[in-house]
Amino acid sequence: MKRSICFSLMALAGSLLWGTASASAADTVYTNSGSPQLGDVSGYTKTELSLKRGSTTEKVPANDIERIRWDGEPPQLNIARNQEQNGNYTEALAEYKKAESGASENLKKNLQFMIARASLKKAQSNAAELDNAIKLLDAFIKANPDHFRYYPAEKLLGEAYLAKKDYANANTAFGKVERSPWKDYQMDAKNMKARVMLAQGNTKGALDAFNAVAKMDGKSEGELASKRAAQLGSALCLEKEGKPKEAIQLLDDMIKNVNSQQKALLAEAYIKKGDCYQALGESKEALIAYLHVDVLFPSEPGLHAEALYHLSNLWGKVQKPERGAEARAVLQQQYPDSEWSQKASGS
C-alpha cells in the first residue's frame, strides 16, 4: 500500500513538472554544480551541450550534466528514473522501453543510453546478462560518437568488460575516458585502469596507481570522489597483500570524508571492511560492516547480494542463526541468479 501511494505521488509530481515544462516549451538540464536550467537544447557534442534561451545560447559542460527532462517527455519517465536510482532495474527498463514509442529524437537517444546503463546495473547481480549490456553500450557509442553521454558510456563499457574479465577491451574503453578534457574523468579512468591491474594480479602496480590519484589535487565534487575511490582502491591492494588492519584504517578515513551520495563507493567500502574483519577473525565487527550495506545501500544489487551472503553465515557466529536464515532467504529471493546466491545454496 505504501509503495502504491509513493508511486502515485511521484506520478502526480511528474505530471505537474511535465505540465510546467510543456507550458514553457523548454527542456530542463539538471547539473551537478547548480540549479536546473531551462531552455531548448539546440545541439551538443561529446564535451558540451548548447542550451538556447531566447536570443542567447549557453554552453553546459557534458561532465556537469546529471540528467535532462526533455520537453514533451511522458511524466512516467520520472518514475522510471527513480526506479533505476532505487535499484529496481527490471521495472526501470520496462518503463524506459515504453517511453521509446513516440519519443523525440533527443529523448530516443537519451533513452538508448539509459537502457544500456540500467542493463549493466542489472547485470551486476547476474553475470549472464553482461553480454547484453556490452552489446547495448557498444551500439549506443557507435551510433552516437558525438553525444554528451559518450564518455559516461565508455566508462560503463569498460566496467562491463572488467566484470567479464576482458581486460584488453576494458583498458581500451578506460583509455578513451582518460583522454577526455576533464580532470575528474581522467582521475576516474586512472582508478579504473588500476582496478584492471589489480584484477590481473599486479597488486604493486595497482597500489602505485591508486596512490598517485589519491595524491592529486581535487577541488570539484567529481575530483574529490575520484580521490576517495583511489583510497578505496589502495585499501583493496592492502587487503590483497595481507594487511587488513592497514586497509581498515584507510577505509575508515575514506568513509568519514566521502559524500553520502556516493552510494556505490560507500557500499564497497563497507564490504571490504567486512572482508578485512573476517580475515582478522573478528566476526561481530565484520557483521556490522556488512549490515551497513544491507540497511543503507540495498540499491546496489551486486554489493547487496554479497553482503547478504556474508550475513547469512555470520549471524550464526553471534548466536542468531534465525537472522542468518532470513538473510539467505532474501538473497535467494531478490538475487536468485547471482554468484552469491549460488554460493549460499551450496554452503
Side-chain angles (χ1 to χ4, degrees), residues 150-317:
Y150 169 82
Y151 286 114
E154 284 286 5
K155 186 201 171 185
L156 291 171
L157 182 61
E159 291 177 356
Y161 277 126
L162 176 55
K164 198 181 174 184
K165 297 181 172 58
D166 185 342
Y167 303 128
N169 277 319
N171 269 329
T172 296
F174 294 140
K176 292 177 182 178
V177 180
E178 193 174 12
R179 292 190 290 275
S180 70
W182 310 295
K183 186 177 178 181
D184 57 339
Y185 275 42
Q186 294 164 9
M187 294 168 71
D188 200 18
K190 291 179 189 296
N191 279 333
M192 297 311 300
K193 290 172 80 173
R195 283 186 177 251
V196 173
M197 283 191 274
L198 183 60
Q200 291 175 306
N202 184 2
T203 306
K204 184 183 184 305
L207 182 58
D208 290 342
F210 283 128
N211 286 340
V213 176
K215 291 176 182 176
M216 293 175 70
D217 291 332
K219 295 180 180 178
S220 72
E221 193 61 47
E223 291 165 7
L224 291 172
S226 291
K227 284 173 66 69
R228 304 309 173 212
Q231 283 184 281
L232 172 58
S234 297
L236 299 181
C237 295
L238 291 172
E239 181 203 1
K240 290 284 187 183
E241 291 181 340
K243 301 175 181 178
K245 289 184 178 179
E246 292 89 335
I248 289 170
Q249 290 176 349
L250 198 56
L251 289 166
D252 283 338
D253 180 66
M254 188 219 86
I255 289 169
K256 282 191 300 184
N257 293 291
V258 74
N259 188 310
S260 61
Q261 296 304 309
Q262 301 293 323
K263 295 180 181 179
L265 199 61
L266 284 165
E268 188 176 4
Y270 280 113
I271 288 285
K272 292 309 165 186
K273 275 190 71 174
D275 292 350
C276 289
Y277 277 124
Q278 285 209 81
L280 292 168
E282 299 179 17
S283 297
K284 183 178 179 181
E285 288 75 10
L287 187 147
I288 292 171
Y290 296 128
L291 200 55
H292 273 79
V293 181
D294 184 31
V295 174
L296 300 176
F297 308 110
S299 60
E300 300 298 326
L303 296 167
H304 187 217
E306 186 173 354
L308 288 168
Y309 168 77
H310 291 298
L311 288 170
S312 71
N313 294 320
L314 286 168
W315 277 119
K317 294 184 178 181

Side-chain angles (χ1 to χ4, degrees), residues 313-343:
N313 294 320
L314 286 168
W315 277 119
K317 294 184 178 181
V318 295
Q319 287 73 54
K320 292 188 178 181
E322 71 283 357
R323 295 290 300 273
E326 289 174 10
R328 186 175 288 106
V330 173
L331 170 62
Q332 293 173 339
Q333 180 182 9
Q334 292 190 8
Y335 311 107
D337 300 315
S338 76
E339 61 174 302
W340 302 105
S341 184
Q342 306 308 316
K343 286 184 179 181

Side-chain angles (χ1 to χ4, degrees), residues 9 16 23 33 36 39 50 105 108 110 120 122-123 137 139 176 218 229 239 265 273 282 297 305 309 334:
L9 288 173
L16 292 171
S33 61
S50 299
E105 191 62 26
K108 278 184 179 179
N110 214 41
L120 176 57
K122 188 169 182 284
L137 287 163
K176 292 177 182 178
E239 181 203 1
L265 199 61
K273 275 190 71 174
E282 299 179 17
F297 308 110
Y309 168 77
Q334 292 190 8

